[in-house]
Structures are given as C-alpha cells and as structure tokens.
Amino acid sequence: MTINVQFSARPDSWDYFREPLKTAFAGHGLNVALSRDHDPASVEYVVYAPQSGPQMDFRIFPNLRAVLGLWAGVERIVNNATLQVPLARMVDSGLQEGMVEWVTGHTLRYHLNMDAQITDQNGVWDRVYPPLARHRQIGILGLGALGGACASALAALNFQVTGWSRSQKTLDNIRCLSGRDGLDEVLKTSEILVLLLPLTADTDRVIDARALALMPKGSHILNPGRGALIDDDALIASLDSSHIAHATLDVFRVEPLPADHFFWHHPKVTVTPHLASETRADTAAAVIADNIQRHEAGQKMKFLVNRKSGY
C-alpha cells in the first residue's frame, strides 16, 4: 500500500531532503510516494517547515493523519487552528550535535577570554590566567533535547552547570531548577548564560531588564535558541552600562538580521547568522521515517507537541 507524503517547506529544501527521505522510507520498509504537489485529497502525511507568508491551511488535506516538522521549534505552527492532527517536532541527532558544538565552543571562548588575545594583539605580555572550569558557573535556560545535551557536555568538561526548565527535570551532574524562584537563582549565579528555551507566551522577553539586573556583573550571554527570548533594548542598555560584558547572538526577531541593525555594529555583541545548528537531512529523514512507521503500526509517534504548552 502506497503512503502519500507531501513535502511542504522552502523550495531550496526539496533538493536537500528528497533523496535522504526516499532512502530512509525504503530503509524502514515504507512504500512512500513523496511529492511537493500531491492531490490534497490523497495526502496522508505532511513533512513541514514554515515558509514566508500566511500559515498553511491544513483543511485542504481531508485525509491528513499527522504533520512531521523539520524544525526543533514549533512556535510558527503550534497555534494554527486548522491543524487538527498530531504534530511531531524534529529531534535530530545531527541538530543536537551541532548545537552542543556551538554552545561548547562559545562557552570556552568566554571562559578562556579568547577574544582578548584574538582582537587585541597589543604587544603587552599580560599573563592573566582564567579560572578552571570547575570554578565557572554556567546557566542553561531550557533542558529539552538540545539544552539537556549542552548541559551534559559542559558538565563533562567540569563546569558547574545549573539548568532551568518550566517543569522539574533530573539530569546527572546538573543542578536542575524550575519555577520563578529557580529562574531567579539561575540568573543570579550564571557567569555564562545559555538560552535554549522554546518560544511561548511565557518565554517571550524572558531576558528583560529585571532578569539582566539579576545576573552577575561582567557575565556573558549566548542565545542560540529564539531571538524573542531577549528584550533587545534592555540587553543593549545592560551592555552599554557594562553590567553584561558581552553577548553572542545566533537568532533574532527578524531574520536575516538587517544590515543596519545595531547588533551588527555594537562592540559588545557578536552576531552569528543562525548557524548554531541546522537540521541534517540524513538524520532528520530517519526520524521522520521512523515516526511514520510507528504511526502506521498504530504506535505513538515520538516527539509529539503538546499544543497547550506550546512545545
């Protein structure tokens, strides 16, 4: 029996994902017809990533059984009222590995004060030793698949890692907190703060003037999560006052970040163009194929989104 799967993402994604998806479907014993232009009435699954413009109207697919996201974030689809079938987000080992590498690299950059040697070769033999990792406190907001993996990697390097999530988590060698008091505690102790929360109504501008004021003077911020987690004006004010020493930002409210945006030109901001991590076609295709196989077998799919919580 043939399963009709519609690929609905940016046109440039089709060439990247088409063959890995076909290979993964075959490897899972699935007879799939994968297309960008099925008759909507025949579509049973949609492989989806948001495109520019209005939200997709899923009502055009009367026989739709599930939607499988290509992105870890679901804020641009989770409130789509026309979506009445299960939605699975992407939890991809390649995406996870890339995020761990980006977060670890920039954490070590801040921890070792590497920018001072890279950007200020002034001929002065000034030997200022960094503390050991076991004396450096790292905070991670968000302990999902990406945040948890980053927390574990940093703990393995002997950093003191405290993580925060809306619901209480338990992770080996990680101090895990939750609730408003827990959030304040993470902020107060984080010399380097990593933002990996999903974007919801509760997390929009979670890093505002109050939150920044709670952080230790001279601390650093890494945001590879969602641009809207930060109040941009409050961050600039905190950087200008030297309360926050530096921020490295990979995600923004508007992307691509406009060339005249103040982040590009601020001396205490490093911009990376949303490259902290990316869905990898081979590993993501295997996740999608596995989930369709599970659904066809009457089993619960992995990584289902809770529409009420927003992730």
Side-chain angles (χ1 to χ4, degrees), residues 142-154:
L143 291 175
L146 298 180
C150 291
S152 295
L154 293 173

Side-chain angles (χ1 to χ4, degrees), residues 158-185:
N158 220 22
F159 286 105
Q160 296 183 49
V161 181
T162 302
W164 182 89
S165 53
R166 193 171 76 167
S167 57
Q168 184 64 39
K169 300 286 182 68
T170 301
L171 296 172
D172 291 343
N173 302 315
I174 311 297
R175 182 188 181 208
C176 296
L177 302 176
S178 62
R180 185 69 193 197
D181 290 344
L183 176 58
D184 286 355
E185 176 65 17

Side-chain angles (χ1 to χ4, degrees), residues 56-249:
M56 173 176 280
D57 186 347
F58 289 97
R59 292 174 297 186
I60 68 172
F61 305 117
N63 294 303
L64 186 63
R65 303 187 65 195
V67 173
L68 302 116
L70 286 171
W71 292 2
V74 295
E75 65 272 8
R76 291 173 61 181
I77 184 177
V78 71
N79 294 318
N80 188 329
T82 71
L83 181 60
Q84 298 295 319
V85 296
L87 168 65
R89 62 189 176 91
M90 177 52 62
V91 177
D92 162 32
S93 61
L95 184 73
Q96 180 174 297
E97 289 173 36
M99 185 62 76
V100 167
E101 291 169 9
W102 188 94
V103 168
T104 301
H106 284 285
T107 297
L108 286 170
R109 166 192 158 216
Y110 280 149
H111 169 62
L112 298 173
N113 195 25
M114 295 173 70
D115 287 1
Q117 282 71 49
I118 293 169
T119 64
D120 190 20
Q121 295 285 294
N122 57 10
V124 176
W125 189 262
D126 187 12
R127 301 175 72 191
V128 179
Y129 292 97
L132 295 173
R134 59 189 170 89
H135 296 139
R136 180 78 74 186
Q137 297 195 72
I138 310 295
I140 297 186
L141 302 190
L143 291 175
L146 298 180
C150 291
S152 295
L154 293 173
L157 291 174
N158 220 22
F159 286 105
Q160 296 183 49
V161 181
T162 302
W164 182 89
S165 53
R166 193 171 76 167
S167 57
Q168 184 64 39
K169 300 286 182 68
T170 301
L171 296 172
D172 291 343
N173 302 315
I174 311 297
R175 182 188 181 208
C176 296
L177 302 176
S178 62
R180 185 69 193 197
D181 290 344
L183 176 58
D184 286 355
E185 176 65 17
V186 175
L187 293 170
K188 290 175 182 177
T189 58
S190 295
E191 297 171 86
I192 301 172
L193 181 69
V194 182
L195 307 181
L196 280 167
L197 289 164
L199 180 59
T200 68
D202 291 332
T203 63
D204 193 339
R205 291 181 175 85
V206 65
I207 302 302
D208 57 10
R210 176 186 177 276
L212 292 164
L214 288 174
M215 294 181 65
K217 182 175 175 58
S219 54
H220 298 76
I221 292 174
L222 299 175
N223 186 15
R226 290 291 179 264
L229 298 174
I230 294 178
D231 181 324
D232 293 348
D233 292 335
L235 175 61
I236 290 298
S238 189
L239 291 166
D240 287 344
S241 72
S242 296
H243 183 73
I244 299 298
H246 201 278
T248 294
L249 310 175

Side-chain angles (χ1 to χ4, degrees), residues 2-6 37-45 60-64:
T2 301
I3 304 167
N4 288 330
V5 176
Q6 177 86 4
D37 54 5
H38 278 303
D39 173 2
S42 72
V43 171
E44 297 164 273
Y45 297 92
I60 68 172
F61 305 117
N63 294 303
L64 186 63

